Structure formats: C-alpha cells, structure tokens
Amino acid sequence: MAGSLIKINEAVADGTSSTLSVTGIDSNDVYVVYGYNITPTTSTATMYARVTKSGTQDSTANYDYAVKLMNTGGAFQNVSNTNQTLFEILSNQVTGAGKSDTILFYLFNFNSSSEYSFITMENIRVEGAGWMGGAVHTVASASDGIGILPNTGNVGSGSKLVLYKIKST
C-alpha cells in the first residue's frame, strides 16, 4: 500500500457521549483510522464499532466479524459472530491512568454503493493483549466513516479517532 496519508478528519471524545465517530470518506481510495487513548468511562466495558451512513452509526443487523485474541497471560482465542448490530473491537477494558488502548482500522470499498464495506482491524492493549481480524458490513451501499461505542457508559474523555485517506502515488 505505497502512497501518501492525507488527513481527512478527527474526532475526540469528551466523556459525555456514548458514541464517537469520524467521517469524511468520499472516494474509492483505501482509508485508515488510527484510534488513540481509547477507553470507556465504565471499567470492564466492551468496545464495539459500526460504519456510518450519512454521519450516523448504522445499527442494522448486518455485521459479520472474526478476530484472534492474543493474550500474553493466557491462551489465544477466536471471537466471531454474524448478523450483529455492531462488531467487537476491545473486550473487558479497564479504566484508569495508563489503561487506554490503540486501534487501527483499514477501510475498503466504503464509498461504493454496490460493494460491501470491509474493515481489517488491529488493537493493542496495555495489559499485554491484542486483537487482529476483520469485519464486513453486508449491505451494498456507501459508508462515509466509522464509529466506536462501549456496551455500557460513554466513550472516555480524550479517546481520539483520526481518519486518513491512503492516496496512491
């Protein structure tokens, strides 16, 4: 994927909202989203993600995902599901100083009105674990971004999503 990263948009949580989304996809290029300091306001919450349509997270039951959980303190695990209203990105997050996670999404076919939106994802947890896998939104319509949300509480203050376009040279 040689090319240039062009910053499109960013979103930063203030701790008062249950969702955080970043939008601005408007071409057929591959996009990447970096998530920094990702944390919920409620300890042991699980973080999820959804694509956005016209700036709103799509909660229809059209998400399939599969990831490998790699835990330095235990066995690796497979996590997968189909026909969900969201896809899992971080489970049982612990809150507190120095407890934030980092996520990385690559977004494919998001601007296409005739293709599914595909996501590859990675995350690193400060407690020595991480996820790697992918998700698909099984609706052939254009998506303009991606958002995160916890299963309980709000997105933690300072959580940040940054959207970049990968412009081929």
Side-chain angles (χ1 to χ4, degrees):
M1 284 191 192
S4 302
L5 287 179
I6 301 167
K7 184 177 178 183
I8 304 300
N9 203 356
E10 71 176 52
V12 181
D14 63 7
T16 63
S17 179
S18 61
T19 64
L20 179 67
S21 299
V22 65
T23 60
I25 294 173
D26 63 0
S27 72
N28 293 324
D29 295 291
V30 175
Y31 288 78
V32 62
V33 173
Y34 291 100
Y36 304 98
N37 199 35
I38 303 299
T39 185
T41 58
T42 304
S43 193
T44 69
T46 296
M47 293 294 267
Y48 296 95
R50 294 177 172 145
V51 303
T52 61
K53 307 282 187 182
S54 300
T56 301
Q57 291 186 15
D58 186 338
S59 61
T60 59
N62 292 299
Y63 295 94
D64 299 347
Y65 66 94
V67 296
K68 177 70 85 172
L69 170 61
M70 297 166 282
N71 188 342
T72 59
F76 286 16
Q77 296 175 330
N78 295 318
V79 178
S80 64
N81 222 322
T82 59
N83 301 319
Q84 299 299 298
T85 59
L86 36 68
F87 59 95
E88 190 171 347
I89 57 171
L90 303 164
S91 65
N92 298 315
Q93 275 192 289
V94 179
T95 58
K99 299 291 186 182
S100 65
D101 292 339
T102 301
I103 57 176
L104 172 66
F105 297 118
Y106 280 93
L107 311 177
F108 303 90
N109 299 336
F110 264 55
N111 194 52
S112 175
S113 59
S114 60
E115 302 278 341
Y116 293 168
S117 298
F118 284 90
I119 302 110
T120 64
M121 57 184 160
E122 301 174 30
N123 78 54
I124 299 170
R125 171 166 285 162
V126 295
E127 291 92 15
W131 295 74
M132 182 175 284
V136 59
H137 187 243
T138 59
V139 176
S141 67
S143 304
D144 63 354
I146 196 163
I148 61 172
L149 65 154
N151 66 331
T152 184
N154 292 328
V155 178
S157 182
S159 296
K160 182 177 184 178
L161 298 176
V162 184
L163 174 68
Y164 295 92
K165 179 189 302 191
I166 301 175
K167 191 69 177 165
S168 37
T169 53

